[in-house]
Amino acid sequence: DAKTTQPNSMESNEEEPVHLPCNHSTISGTDYIHWYRQLPSQGPEYVIHGLTSNVNNRMASLAIAEDRKSSTLILHRATLRDAAVYYCILNRLGSGGGADGLTFGKGTHLIIQP
Amino acid sequence: DTGVSQDPRHKITKRGQNVTFRCDPISEHNRLYWYRQTLGQGPEFLTYFQNEAQLEKSRLLSDRFSAERPKGSFSTLEIQRTEQGDSAMYLCASSLELVGADRAELFFGSGTQLSVL
């Protein structure tokens, strides 16, 4: 299975942009890049996903490198409520998981300073 | 609330006892997943159902673990003869998988925290 590599933790200030990196050098052509986040005492929640082109939604933006070997989740203006563990996950053909489920790593623990 | 609900939120049991957790997915979702999460780790996939059919169960941690989704709606996860190593958060998720769609996001419940004494 293609794996992802993320920093263990990152710190940012409130109301500033946050760039969360993810390396996935063994990504295959059919792998979508998904981001989920997990707030304290909650289950993970979907943030964004993409295949090749950059993507924007109300929560975040996803910037995908041209060779697709890395991507960056961008929170444009972090708030204290964005403090969470952020997971970068590869999944083929964009399915919710199917037989393999979604493979979560340890993610990046994002700390937001007021 | 129309999200995924799990019951109970917390369960404390003694080693050797059986426990059962329930998950109610979002009503129109045809897929249901079970995950386990230990402290400091990401969720670990256990099994999933497409409607009432359990399509993957080889990732269940041992034969003490079993799951059902009898009518394609709610699901139960049972752990028999619990061990201290079973202490973890058990998460349920659901999704609507459509043929030809490019993706299906998972919606997770808040989990059941199991403590085995």
Side-chain angles (χ1 to χ4, degrees):
Chain A
D1 288 343
K3 292 187 177 179
T4 63
T5 303
Q6 300 177 254
N8 289 335
S9 65
M10 289 184 65
E11 203 166 307
S12 183
N13 295 320
E14 197 176 10
E15 299 187 6
E16 289 186 356
V18 180
H19 291 234
L20 296 163
C22 180
N23 287 322
H24 29 79
S25 58
T26 59
I27 191 171
S28 75
T30 56
D31 282 336
Y32 279 73
I33 303 158
H34 296 247
W35 285 82
Y36 280 73
R37 73 178 185 181
Q38 188 170 22
L39 280 64
S41 302
Q42 306 222 359
E45 66 173 345
Y46 169 83
V47 177
I48 201 167
H49 85 289
L51 183 62
T52 56
S53 303
N54 294 346
V55 185
N56 300 297
N57 67 19
R58 64 175 179 80
M59 288 181 72
S61 295
L62 176 59
I64 301 173
E66 199 168 328
D67 63 6
R68 301 210 324 126
K69 293 186 175 181
S70 65
S71 61
T72 302
L73 179 71
I74 302 166
L75 307 179
H76 294 287
R77 195 163 166 267
T79 71
L80 295 177
R81 289 172 294 180
D82 291 320
V85 179
Y86 287 77
Y87 298 99
C88 170
I89 302 163
L90 302 182
N91 196 261
R92 67 185 183 281
L93 295 176
S95 76
D100 297 328
L102 288 180
T103 301
F104 289 80
K106 292 187 177 182
T108 296
H109 184 198
L110 178 63
I111 299 164
I112 305 295
Q113 297 289 356
Chain B
D1 184 22
T2 57
V4 177
S5 64
Q6 293 189 245
D7 184 68
R9 286 298 307 274
H10 303 275
K11 177 71 177 178
I12 300 173
T13 191
K14 292 183 179 179
R15 185 164 51 95
Q17 298 294 304
N18 299 341
V19 294
T20 300
F21 310 138
R22 177 178 171 124
C23 171
D24 286 272
I26 293 172
S27 60
E28 66 269 24
H29 283 185
N30 52 4
R31 284 204 177 172
L32 186 148
Y33 302 79
W34 285 99
Y35 285 79
R36 183 180 83 151
Q37 186 173 25
T38 54
L39 200 61
Q41 304 294 318
E44 175 187 12
F45 170 73
L46 296 178
T47 187
Y48 90 105
F49 294 83
Q50 172 89 11
N51 299 312
E52 67 274 11
Q54 190 174 12
L55 298 186
E56 173 56 51
K57 54 184 179 181
S58 67
R59 306 272 283 275
L60 286 168
L61 299 164
S62 79
D63 58 7
R64 297 184 296 106
F65 287 70
S66 62
E68 292 184 343
R69 194 183 183 198
K71 296 182 180 179
S73 56
F74 75 91
S75 175
T76 58
L77 177 71
E78 181 182 16
I79 308 174
Q80 296 182 327
R81 305 180 303 281
T82 53
E83 301 172 357
Q84 288 184 326
D86 297 331
S87 296
M89 174 76 78
Y90 291 85
L91 293 161
C92 174
S94 69
S95 69
L96 178 62
E97 300 268 343
L98 300 173
V99 174
D102 76 332
R103 68 134 174 118
E105 67 186 80
L106 264 60
F107 293 82
F108 283 83
S110 294
T112 295
Q113 180 66 52
L114 172 67
S115 297
V116 182
L117 305 178

